[in-house]
Amino acid sequence: AAARVRLERERREAAELRLARARDLALGHAEFRAALEGMPQGVWKFDAGNRLVIANSRAAPLLGMAPEPLVPGTPFSAILQAGESDQDGLAGPILRRLRVIAGTDASESFVESEPEGRAISVTYRPLPQGGWLATFDDITERHESERHIRHMARHDPLTGLANRAWLMECLERILAELRLEAEEPERRGGLALLYLDLDRFKQVNDTLGHPAGDALLRQVAARIRQGLRSGDDGRPEDMVARLGGDEFVVMLRTASGTLAEKRDVAAMVGDRLVAALTSPFDLDGQVAHIGTTVGIALWAEDGGTAEELLRAADLALYHGKSGGRGRHVFFEPAMDHEARRRRTIETELRRALFEDEGRDLLVFFQPQVHALTRRPTGCEALVRWKRPGQEGLTSPGEFIDVAEETGLITALGLHVLRRACAEAVTWADPDMRVSVNLSSVQFGMPGLVQEVAEVLAATGLDPRRLELEVTESLLIENADDALETMKRLRALGVGFALDDFGTGYSSLAYLQAFPFDRVKIDRGFVREIHVRQGDAAIVRSVSALCGELGMATIAEGIETEEQLATVVAAGCQEAQGFLFSGPVHPWRLADVLSRLAAPAARAPRMGPPAPLRAA
Ligand code: C2E
Ligand code: CA
Ligand code: CA
């Protein structure tokens, strides 16, 4: 039965074909021509001997060639020759490709396009009765919009620079080429990634507005491009990408040579970029000063793949920024170890806070005493971390900055605040102050005031016993908001101490502008105060000014009687340091406080606590 069905179908198809041929003949040449002319495409039909049977009049202009050679009977080779002589049209390349396929018995299509111009889609179709048909379609518009979409997918709309995806794609391709250049590193071209991040961009954006920020980014992009153009030295072009925000990456290609030579080129370009972005920007009459730091990673020393290189350059940038901005910094393997350490800390700290409910994050207390009587006036809460699987306690110096960077400080700070307040209500002296350190990152969080109020309510601590220690950086970064938050916290009854005074910008103006109860003079001034005249003079004048403004001063890091005597002479009312006690576990605190309160025991020195685990 199947065979019969097939036979039947074959017979029907053969009949239809005969009918179609008859219709073709009946239609005659004129009507066939009219049908061809009505088509938007160009059409050529060739016979089995590769001679032109018919060409519609769309074909020649589409291909950009003269219509004269397109008369029926002309051999394809002659048309090819005519097309080749048209220098800049698409006819040449299209005809050359057609020559290769003409006569084959499979349909095929391809697109031929000019770099910034037209695009023609060509379809080749062999005919069942021999010969072949070619159609030409102008797809410039579609091509253009595709190109536009492709461009959009690969570029940053604001600056027109490549985006991250496109940078990585190009980088992979170029690295693959470079790897093939030669076995020996010195004989192949070099490639460096320069990772830039703008200084003070956020300030410009915040103070002058987003349109100004956008304009600035565009100008930065232009300056980077200019900084790279090094004339006709025959080098392949460098690529600039914007990774988002105020981060840019330059892919710099250098000639073959020793590693030192390649480094020199990268350093020179790095410095040039720093200089280019350091000179002021004109934003519609407003002058903006920014700057940049550049992290540099070299292929293949610092990373073999695009991802590795980008990471290395990013790490170098990160280190560059923390060690003084406005310069270039090369990647070093040690940076990788540091990054790994920080990642481990982040993971473990997250677990300690959210899975173990802060069980391993202990809060120690260090007494603060009246400088003359040595009676305790308050205690500073200092966090300690009992990391699982590690000996001893980890010092906050090792994880506070990671917590700030990752936002974990919000949860950590709240945990410390809760613990500190809960402890303070158990202290024998109902007036004893409890001081809690507050990071400026926490200060920027919208829920802070509410959180503090809740902790006070939950623990029942008298708000007047709580003092928050903040640093100058807070006041510099966002003075208006900081002042507002301080006022709202003050309204709860909470006090404030300015921590680490003298380490930052140390502007005395802050003392007048912000409502502090106490100024903590940094350990750095105290350490050699008995030998360095200048330090004593500073402490004296700060104490005098604070006295006038109604603020107390407390000297941090007092380790010796000599230091204590000098800060007392300079006018400090309070002191804190190993001379009195180091930070102690809550269950030891009561003993320490009563020892300090007892007159007989006040004078002898109490040694520093067991050292924390080293970094
Ligand atoms: P800080 O607020 O300046 O705290 C004083 C630091 O000096 C403490 O180090 C303390 O142990 C140490 N210290 C006290 N007396 C002496 C002394 O006589 N000699 C010497 N050499 N050092 C002394 P610690 O506990 O390692 O804390 C380091 C920093 O970590 C703190 O500096 C503070 O900025 C930060 N920190 C500690 N706990 C917290 C916290 O709960 N939240 C926040 N945001 N930061 C914290
Ligand atoms: Ca402090
Ligand atoms: Ca301090």
Side-chain angles (χ1 to χ4, degrees), residues 544-555:
L545 177 71
C546 287
E548 263 172 54
L549 295 169
M551 303 177 191
T553 44
I554 173 165

Side-chain angles (χ1 to χ4, degrees), residues 380 382 437 469 499-500 520 556:
E380 178 176 4
L382 292 158
N437 292 285
E469 296 193 0
D499 204 354
D500 304 341
K520 300 190 76 174
E556 291 191 278

Side-chain angles (χ1 to χ4, degrees), residues 385-423:
W385 186 9
K386 212 159 110 4
R387 278 171 81 176
Q390 295 222 2
E391 277 291 311
L393 297 170
T394 303
S395 126
E398 281 190 58
F399 59 89
I400 290 289
D401 55 342
V402 177
E404 287 182 330
E405 227 174 65
T406 54
L408 290 173
I409 192 72
T410 321
L412 177 61
L414 185 61
H415 169 77
V416 173
L417 182 71
R418 270 203 201 107
R419 279 282 174 91
C421 293
E423 280 297 328

